């Protein structure tokens, strides 16, 4: 959170005043790239505090001192301090999900931190979060030298990074910083809009999620962005179904079915079948819903979301024998659950095997509810809190039950 506070203060000061770059930016950029400490670079040239002030722009170095630092850093050609909007072609590659071309762009940047910025975005898109963390460590130290366009891009992918690590508050905060910069510099960023839509969908704000997804969809269409166009449409299917706009959901599902039967390069068909299952659940056609969820499980990439949807279907349609059999099968397989869906599957397991027990109560208090709050998962929080409320009621702990409900509605 300290890093976010620094980012917020830096952003608001930058929005009102954008200081010019200075030679210290070049020095710090190369020093960090070479993994040198301040004292290692300053040795036999100047003292460490002077070098630190040069890097931060608080000390104007003489030409002789600069040349010595450049020589030690092996800076033969000093890059221009005029930052052009070099990110424009990078954004297009991101929107088109052209990760190979994105990786090749690392060779064409003026500063090392810019190459790291591209690598960070690429790592997040590839879900290589170990590599992403390595880039963050350097990029955090170069933030003060970034242009507003670079900061906006960086904050967007920080939001996506923290969302993957179930840090809902941090993700939201970085998305909002990115959005504020985008509005200030009149930048239209559809990936930011989609990322915000996904966040609001998780936090059960269907109005904002739907509005942002529609706006993102219109912009992705202009870039011929197949992956993110379909991601927007799949999100809209979910929101239309959840809010009872079933004719809209059905029409969009039919169009998506035509698209993804023709070509599915990003393995989105499993999600489509899952959305179809949600639609059939909404119209209480549980047989068709089960067929769709099972079809999703046959795809190459089995989403844990589909497993959870099937568990919910069996539980809420009172198909207890099927549910027990399915839960037993799951225990015998290794499934790549994310933390969020794993906890929900555990919740249903306890509901079936240990209803109203201390095992379920402790699980809800210690794990499920705190996690849902942290991730800003509103639907999960309601699910867990209402179950805990029922347990307290059954045990005649009415004060505790009222406290649970009041906490739930305070977070809404």
């Amino acid at each position: 959170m300290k890093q976010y506070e620094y980012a917020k203060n830096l952003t608001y000061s930058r929005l009102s005043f954008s200081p010019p770059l200075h030679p210290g930016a070049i020095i710090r950029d190369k020093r960090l790239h070479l993994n040198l400490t301040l004292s290692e670079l300053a040795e036999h040239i100047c003292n460490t505090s002077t070098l630190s002030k040069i890097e931060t722009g608080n000390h104007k170095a003489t030409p002789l001192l600069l040349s010595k630092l450049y020589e030690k850093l092996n800076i033969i050609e000093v890059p221009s301090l005029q930052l052009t909007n070099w990110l424009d072609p990078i954004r297009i590659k991101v929107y088109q999900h052209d990760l190979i071309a994105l990786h090749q762009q690392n060779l064409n940047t003026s500063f090392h931190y810019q190459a790291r910025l591209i690598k960070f975005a690429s790592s997040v898109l590839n879900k290589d979060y170990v590599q992403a963390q390595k880039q963050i460590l350097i990029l955090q130290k170069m933030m003060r030298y970034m242009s507003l366009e670079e900061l906006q891009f960086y904050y967007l992918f920080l939001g996506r990074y923290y969302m993957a690590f179930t840090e809902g508050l941090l993700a939201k905060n970085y998305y909002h910083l990115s959005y504020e910069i985008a509005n200030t510099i009149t930048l239209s960023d559809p990936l930011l809009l989609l990322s915000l839509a996904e966040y609001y969908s998780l936090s059960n704000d269907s109005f904002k999620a739907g509005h942002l997804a529609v706006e993102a969809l219109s912009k992705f269409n202009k870039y011929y962005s197949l992956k993110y166009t379909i991601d927007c449409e799949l999100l809209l299917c979910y929101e239309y179904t959840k809010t009872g706009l079933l004719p809209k959901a059905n029409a969009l599902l039919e169009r998506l079915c035509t698209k993804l039967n023709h070509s599915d390069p990003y393995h989105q068909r499993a999600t489509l079948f899952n959305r179809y299952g949600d639609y059939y659940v909404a119209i209480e056609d549980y047989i068709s819903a089960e067929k769709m969820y099972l079809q999703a499980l046959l795809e190459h990439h089995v989403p844990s979301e589909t497993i959870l949807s099937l568990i919910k279907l069996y539980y809420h349609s009172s198909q207890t024998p099927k549910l027990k059999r399915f839960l037993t099968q799951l225990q015998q397989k290794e499934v790549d659950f994310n933390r969020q869906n794993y906890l929900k599957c555990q919740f249903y397991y306890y509901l079936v095997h240990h209803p109203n027990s201390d095992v379920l109560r402790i699980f809800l208090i210690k794990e499920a509810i705190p996690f849902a709050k942290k991730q800003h998962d509103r639907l999960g929080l309601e699910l867990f809190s209402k179950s805990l409320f029922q347990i307290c009621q059954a045990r005649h702990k009415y004060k505790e039950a009222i406290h649970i409900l009041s906490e739930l509605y305070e977070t809404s």
Side-chain angles (χ1 to χ4, degrees):
M1 192 56 80
K2 283 183 180 179
Q3 290 179 343
Y4 165 71
E5 289 299 324
Y6 172 75
K8 184 173 72 170
N9 294 334
L10 175 69
T11 300
Y12 289 140
S13 66
R14 187 66 62 79
L15 287 172
S16 57
F17 173 68
S18 186
L21 279 177
H22 52 80
I26 300 170
I27 293 167
R28 174 175 280 197
D29 180 62
K30 188 63 183 282
R31 177 176 67 79
L32 293 173
H33 176 68
L34 296 175
N35 199 27
L36 294 173
T37 64
L38 282 166
S39 57
E40 285 171 339
L41 177 56
E43 190 177 7
H44 305 310
I45 298 176
C46 61
N47 61 51
T48 304
S49 62
T50 300
L51 177 56
S52 177
K53 289 175 183 176
I54 291 170
E55 287 192 353
T56 55
N58 294 320
H59 180 83
K60 188 174 181 180
T62 63
L64 178 60
L65 180 52
L66 280 180
S67 66
K68 287 181 179 180
L69 291 169
Y70 287 161
E71 183 180 354
K72 189 166 183 177
L73 291 167
N74 197 27
I75 298 175
I76 300 168
E77 184 179 344
V78 179
S80 169
L81 292 173
Q82 298 300 316
L83 286 180
T84 59
N85 197 4
W86 61 274
L87 271 172
D88 284 346
I90 304 299
R91 291 181 192 279
I92 293 171
K93 289 176 175 58
V94 167
Y95 301 153
Q96 294 176 344
H97 212 258
D98 190 348
L99 302 186
I100 295 173
L102 188 63
H103 177 71
Q104 291 169 346
Q105 286 293 320
N106 281 337
L107 304 173
N108 303 326
T109 54
S110 300
F111 290 88
H112 296 291
Y113 80 82
Q114 294 171 337
R116 288 182 180 274
L117 190 56
I118 299 171
K119 196 167 186 178
F120 173 59
S122 179
S123 299
V124 172
L125 292 173
N126 275 314
K127 299 181 181 179
D128 183 356
Y129 300 117
V130 174
Q131 184 60 243
Q133 176 62 29
K134 290 178 182 177
Q135 306 313 316
I136 289 175
L137 294 174
I138 300 296
L139 291 169
Q140 289 293 134
K141 297 174 182 178
M142 291 302 297
M143 280 173 57
R144 65 186 299 153
Y145 306 113
M146 292 184 190
S147 66
L148 281 172
E149 289 84 359
E150 291 167 346
L151 285 173
Q152 187 275 335
F153 187 79
Y154 181 43
Y155 294 156
L156 163 60
F157 283 97
L158 274 176
R160 292 180 72 87
Y161 172 83
Y162 284 116
M163 205 67 194
F165 276 90
T166 63
E167 292 282 356
L169 178 60
L170 269 177
K172 180 190 78 167
N173 287 342
Y174 279 115
Y175 284 154
H176 282 185
L177 277 183
S178 184
Y179 190 76
E180 197 162 343
I181 294 174
N183 281 342
T184 301
I185 63 178
T186 61
L187 172 69
S188 177
D189 187 342
L191 186 57
L192 172 60
L193 298 175
L194 173 58
S195 301
L196 277 167
E198 290 168 342
Y199 166 79
Y200 284 120
S201 179
L202 181 67
S203 58
N204 203 26
D205 190 335
S206 292
F207 176 78
K208 284 183 180 177
H211 174 75
L212 287 164
V214 168
E215 192 178 348
L217 178 60
S218 67
K219 297 181 189 307
F220 278 128
N221 280 328
K222 295 177 183 177
Y223 290 104
Y224 304 100
S225 173
L226 177 63
K227 180 191 186 310
Y228 293 121
T229 296
I230 293 174
D231 281 348
C232 288
E233 290 173 333
L234 288 168
L235 179 61
L236 284 169
C237 287
Y238 175 73
E239 292 302 330
Y240 290 154
T241 301
K242 190 170 71 174
T243 54
L245 298 173
L246 299 178
K248 276 190 168 186
N250 187 39
L252 189 49
L253 283 167
E254 288 180 0
R255 290 205 302 273
L256 279 166
C257 192
T258 303
K259 282 184 189 178
L260 292 178
N261 280 339
H262 179 259
S263 174
D264 185 26
Y266 301 108
H267 309 290
Q268 294 157 300
R269 194 156 40 220
T271 307
L272 172 64
F273 289 130
N274 205 76
R275 295 290 168 261
Y276 255 120
D278 297 342
Y279 169 78
Y280 284 125
V281 167
I283 62 173
E284 298 182 5
D285 182 350
Y286 299 129
I287 294 174
S288 296
E290 182 184 24
K291 284 180 181 176
M292 287 294 123
Y293 292 142
L294 290 174
Q295 186 64 40
L297 295 181
L298 294 176
E299 294 294 316
H300 296 298
H301 293 260
V302 179
S304 59
E305 178 193 0
T306 303
I307 293 171
L308 178 60
S309 297
L310 199 52
I311 291 171
K312 287 161 64 178
L313 169 67
Y314 290 149
Y315 181 81
H316 293 291
S317 58
S318 301
Q319 299 183 59
T320 307
K322 277 188 177 180
L323 176 56
K324 287 185 174 179
R325 197 159 55 245
F326 186 59
L327 287 170
T328 303
Q329 289 171 353
L330 277 182
Q331 288 182 324
Q332 296 168 355
K333 294 181 180 179
E334 287 189 11
V335 181
D336 187 19
F337 279 110
N338 61 34
R339 179 71 174 159
Q340 181 182 352
N341 288 340
Y342 172 77
L343 287 176
K344 288 178 182 175
C345 286
Q346 281 291 100
F347 167 71
Y348 282 105
Y349 177 84
Y350 289 137
L351 274 183
V352 171
H353 294 94
H354 308 286
N356 298 321
S357 67
D358 275 335
V359 174
L360 176 56
R361 186 178 66 84
I362 292 168
F363 167 77
L364 291 169
I365 293 171
K366 297 289 187 181
E367 294 187 67
I369 290 175
F371 181 85
K373 285 180 180 177
K374 182 180 178 184
Q375 178 66 346
H376 288 201
D377 179 0
R378 178 67 190 175
L379 289 177
L381 183 59
E382 288 180 1
L383 179 72
F384 300 141
S385 297
K386 287 176 182 176
S387 179
L388 184 58
F389 171 77
Q390 289 167 358
I391 292 172
C392 291
Q393 268 197 324
R395 297 180 177 196
H396 307 294
K397 296 184 176 181
Y398 300 117
K399 283 186 179 180
E400 193 175 335
I402 292 169
H403 177 70
I404 291 161
L405 282 187
S406 63
E407 268 203 338
L408 174 63
Y409 291 111
E410 277 174 13
T411 59
S412 61

